[in-house]
Amino acid sequence: MELDDKKLSLCSEVAGSITENIERVLIGKRDSIELVLVALLCNGHVLIEDVPGVGKTVLVNSLAASLDMSFKRVQCTPDMLPSDILGFTLYDINTGTGSFKPGPIMSQLFLADEINRTSPKTQAALLEAMEEGQITVDGSTYPLPRPFMVLATQNPIESVGTYPLPEAQMDRFLIRISLGYPNESEENDILRRFREGNPLKSLKPVTDAGEILKLQAAVPLVNVSQPVMNYILAIVRATRTNDLVELGASPRASISLMKCAQALALVRGYSFVRPEDVRILADSVLAHRLILSKNALMKGVRKQDVLKRIISSTPVPVK
């Protein structure tokens, strides 16, 4: 199969309609919206990490409202059990048989709101679902619907009563994003738009699961030249030799960065990956996978700062 101009235009048009629909509610965050779309097209999952009130849950709800797909939200709490997410087997004492009662994870879009407020045992219940696209309950395996995507939010400034995600689970998230505060003009638009009600309630689906599956199938058709692959490798391998990094990005991170770059090119209407696509995505795809050295932590160095230095010192391929 080839990604001809007609198919490329159709994919870009669908992605653009989703973005524009979400922007009716979430103003000034086109880059973040595109990152969520990139993860969706790559069969990946997203961790949205930011302070309260900047639109984390609004972004997810707007995405769900724009897609004609099943959606479930769970508010994570310390007393939550894995069965509250996965489901459980209900046994009939009269017949001795059991029937599976599916949990909210059996949906195409699943939001774990404030995931760091639930216990590590419950957090780990998502590992198989995120990696294998299936769940196992009482020895029986159940496939998850397609497409399937986990979106999780967390507040990075609160530590009391929270359970930080371990590195292995952080690596399950394809992309980590932070929305940040809007500028003055954007916030003024937000006030005007919400003055007469919540625009989220008026959002209608602009595409369905079938179209998303077609877009997912088109992502591998986006060309990645050898110089661009070398550029990706140079950035990832530099994280492993940097003095400020204790544990660098893995080969899985290299693959993730390449696939995300293919999806971003498709969303923006290109049939090939540009070095610019790699630079745009490097922070969101790689930063949460790094473990900084104790020396870097003592100096207050951030993972994003390390990646900026690596990207600025890595030669960009030219035509």
Side-chain angles (χ1 to χ4, degrees):
M1 291 181 64
E2 292 184 359
L3 187 61
D4 55 37
D5 291 342
K6 183 178 179 180
K7 186 180 297 183
L8 178 64
S9 177
L10 179 62
C11 291
S12 179
E13 183 180 336
V14 172
S17 64
I18 298 172
T19 302
E20 291 171 4
N21 204 47
I22 296 175
E23 284 186 316
R24 293 174 55 193
V25 179
L26 196 68
I27 299 170
K29 302 299 178 186
R30 176 172 282 259
D31 291 343
S32 297
I33 296 170
E34 285 187 339
L35 288 175
V36 173
L37 276 180
V38 163
L40 178 61
L41 299 192
C42 292
N43 285 297
H45 313 288
V46 178
L47 177 64
I48 309 174
E49 189 177 54
D50 216 320
V51 297
V54 295
K56 301 187 296 294
T57 307
V58 171
L59 170 57
V60 179
N61 288 335
S62 300
L63 174 69
S66 300
L67 305 175
D68 189 12
M69 293 163 51
S70 57
F71 170 60
K72 293 291 177 61
R73 172 187 179 273
V74 167
Q75 178 62 55
C76 296
T77 57
D79 61 345
M80 181 177 285
L81 299 175
S83 58
D84 294 326
I85 292 177
L86 303 182
F88 57 91
T89 303
L90 183 64
Y91 288 94
D92 188 327
I93 59 174
N94 296 317
T95 63
T97 59
S99 59
F100 175 59
K101 302 299 180 182
I105 194 69
M106 298 294 286
S107 57
Q108 292 167 314
L109 297 175
F110 175 73
L111 168 61
D113 218 352
E114 297 187 276
I115 191 173
N116 57 332
R117 289 195 176 278
T118 194
S119 67
K121 181 178 181 180
T122 305
Q123 292 173 357
L126 290 170
L127 287 172
E128 182 185 9
M130 295 172 70
E131 184 66 19
E132 306 294 338
Q134 64 184 29
I135 59 172
T136 302
V137 178
D138 296 327
S140 298
T141 299
Y142 304 94
L144 294 169
R146 291 284 185 261
F148 172 72
M149 184 183 194
V150 172
L151 301 108
T153 69
Q154 67 176 8
N155 176 4
I157 63 172
E158 290 183 355
S159 58
V160 177
T162 62
Y163 306 87
L165 289 171
E167 285 76 12
Q169 188 139 3
M170 289 290 287
D171 194 53
R172 290 294 199 280
F173 288 100
L174 180 67
I175 284 178
R176 185 198 68 87
I177 65 176
S178 179
L179 296 177
Y181 287 115
N183 59 38
E184 183 177 355
S185 175
E186 291 167 349
E187 195 160 7
N188 192 25
D189 288 341
I190 292 172
L191 293 179
R192 286 203 305 267
R193 199 163 296 185
F194 279 79
R195 180 173 52 194
E196 298 178 358
N198 188 348
L200 178 60
K201 296 180 179 180
S202 63
L203 281 193
K204 302 296 182 183
V206 295
T207 190
D208 56 20
E211 288 294 332
I212 296 300
L213 290 173
K214 290 179 182 178
L215 265 63
Q216 290 179 345
V219 169
L221 304 180
V222 176
N223 182 51
V224 187
S225 66
Q226 188 61 52
V228 172
M229 280 195 281
N230 293 340
Y231 184 52
I232 292 171
L233 290 174
I235 292 174
V236 172
R237 294 182 69 84
T239 66
R240 304 171 193 167
T241 58
N242 192 285
D243 294 337
L244 298 173
V245 179
E246 181 71 23
L247 186 64
S250 66
R252 179 192 288 174
S254 303
I255 297 171
S256 297
L257 185 54
M258 180 183 69
K259 289 185 176 297
C260 285
Q262 288 177 289
L264 182 61
L266 185 68
V267 167
R268 296 190 170 183
Y270 291 92
S271 61
F272 58 92
V273 174
R274 304 165 297 165
E276 177 187 350
D277 300 321
V278 178
R279 290 198 302 273
I280 290 171
L281 291 160
D283 177 58
S284 299
V285 176
L286 301 180
H288 64 285
R289 304 172 191 265
L290 306 181
I291 299 178
L292 297 183
S293 66
K294 293 181 180 179
N295 185 38
L297 294 173
M298 290 176 60
K299 293 180 179 179
V301 177
R302 302 183 309 153
K303 297 176 183 180
Q304 292 85 348
D305 299 330
V306 175
L307 275 172
K308 284 181 181 178
R309 297 176 190 175
I310 289 174
I311 293 171
S312 63
S313 62
T314 304
V316 180
V318 294
K319 185 175 180 180

